[in-house]
Short mmCIF file of all heavy atoms in Angstrom, two decimals:
data_model
loop_
_atom_site.label_atom_id
_atom_site.label_comp_id
_atom_site.label_asym_id
_atom_site.label_seq_id
_atom_site.Cartn_x
_atom_site.Cartn_y
_atom_site.Cartn_z
N VAL A 53 2.44 -6.13 1.44
CA VAL A 53 2.13 -6.44 0.09
C VAL A 53 3.00 -5.63 -0.87
O VAL A 53 3.54 -6.01 -1.73
CB VAL A 53 0.65 -6.44 -0.30
CG1 VAL A 53 0.40 -6.55 -1.75
CG2 VAL A 53 -0.08 -7.36 0.64
N GLN A 64 -5.66 -20.28 8.21
CA GLN A 64 -6.81 -19.32 8.24
C GLN A 64 -8.12 -20.13 8.10
O GLN A 64 -8.17 -21.16 7.46
CB GLN A 64 -6.72 -18.31 7.17
CG GLN A 64 -5.47 -17.46 7.33
CD GLN A 64 -5.49 -16.56 8.54
OE1 GLN A 64 -6.56 -16.05 8.98
NE2 GLN A 64 -4.24 -16.54 9.14
N GLY A 129 3.22 -20.21 -19.29
CA GLY A 129 2.33 -20.27 -18.31
C GLY A 129 2.47 -19.00 -17.37
O GLY A 129 1.51 -18.82 -16.62
N ASP A 133 -2.88 -11.77 -13.62
CA ASP A 133 -4.29 -11.99 -13.86
C ASP A 133 -4.90 -10.96 -14.77
O ASP A 133 -4.73 -9.83 -14.60
CB ASP A 133 -5.02 -12.07 -12.55
CG ASP A 133 -4.69 -13.27 -11.67
OD1 ASP A 133 -4.37 -14.34 -12.40
OD2 ASP A 133 -4.68 -13.21 -10.47
N ARG A 137 -6.58 -7.02 -20.23
CA ARG A 137 -7.52 -5.85 -19.97
C ARG A 137 -6.73 -4.53 -19.93
O ARG A 137 -5.42 -4.52 -19.76
CB ARG A 137 -8.20 -6.06 -18.60
CG ARG A 137 -9.22 -7.16 -18.60
CD ARG A 137 -9.98 -7.11 -17.26
NE ARG A 137 -10.46 -5.68 -16.99
CZ ARG A 137 -11.60 -5.25 -17.40
NH1 ARG A 137 -12.43 -5.91 -18.16
NH2 ARG A 137 -11.97 -3.99 -17.03
N ALA A 183 3.77 -2.81 -25.76
CA ALA A 183 3.55 -4.21 -26.22
C ALA A 183 2.03 -4.45 -26.31
O ALA A 183 1.31 -4.00 -25.46
CB ALA A 183 4.28 -5.27 -25.48
N HIS A 185 -0.97 -6.82 -25.60
CA HIS A 185 -1.27 -7.95 -24.68
C HIS A 185 -2.65 -8.44 -25.18
O HIS A 185 -3.65 -7.68 -25.21
CB HIS A 185 -1.41 -7.52 -23.24
CG HIS A 185 -0.21 -7.07 -22.59
ND1 HIS A 185 0.37 -7.57 -21.45
CD2 HIS A 185 0.77 -6.13 -23.11
CE1 HIS A 185 1.44 -6.97 -21.19
NE2 HIS A 185 1.79 -6.11 -22.04
N TYR A 233 -0.02 -13.36 -22.18
CA TYR A 233 -0.85 -12.35 -22.96
C TYR A 233 -0.01 -11.59 -23.95
O TYR A 233 -0.48 -10.92 -24.91
CB TYR A 233 -1.38 -11.40 -21.86
CG TYR A 233 -2.47 -12.03 -21.04
CD1 TYR A 233 -2.27 -12.17 -19.70
CD2 TYR A 233 -3.70 -12.37 -21.50
CE1 TYR A 233 -3.21 -12.79 -18.82
CE2 TYR A 233 -4.68 -12.95 -20.73
CZ TYR A 233 -4.43 -13.21 -19.46
OH TYR A 233 -5.40 -13.69 -18.60
N HIS A 298 -10.14 -20.67 -4.15
CA HIS A 298 -10.99 -19.55 -4.36
C HIS A 298 -10.24 -18.23 -4.40
O HIS A 298 -9.36 -18.01 -3.56
CB HIS A 298 -11.99 -19.49 -3.19
CG HIS A 298 -12.63 -20.77 -2.89
ND1 HIS A 298 -13.71 -21.32 -3.79
CD2 HIS A 298 -12.46 -21.75 -1.91
CE1 HIS A 298 -14.13 -22.49 -3.12
NE2 HIS A 298 -13.26 -22.71 -2.24
N TRP A 326 -16.35 -4.97 -16.80
CA TRP A 326 -16.04 -6.37 -16.87
C TRP A 326 -17.11 -7.08 -17.60
O TRP A 326 -18.19 -6.80 -17.59
CB TRP A 326 -15.86 -6.99 -15.42
CG TRP A 326 -14.54 -6.60 -14.80
CD1 TRP A 326 -14.27 -5.28 -14.19
CD2 TRP A 326 -13.31 -7.30 -14.74
NE1 TRP A 326 -12.94 -5.34 -13.82
CE2 TRP A 326 -12.36 -6.40 -14.05
CE3 TRP A 326 -12.97 -8.63 -15.18
CZ2 TRP A 326 -11.12 -6.97 -13.79
CZ3 TRP A 326 -11.74 -9.03 -14.80
CH2 TRP A 326 -10.77 -8.20 -14.34
#
Side-chain angles (χ1 to χ4, degrees):
V53 173
Q64 300 296 319
D133 287 332
R137 287 186 53 84
H185 295 232
Y233 291 111
H298 307 285
W326 283 80

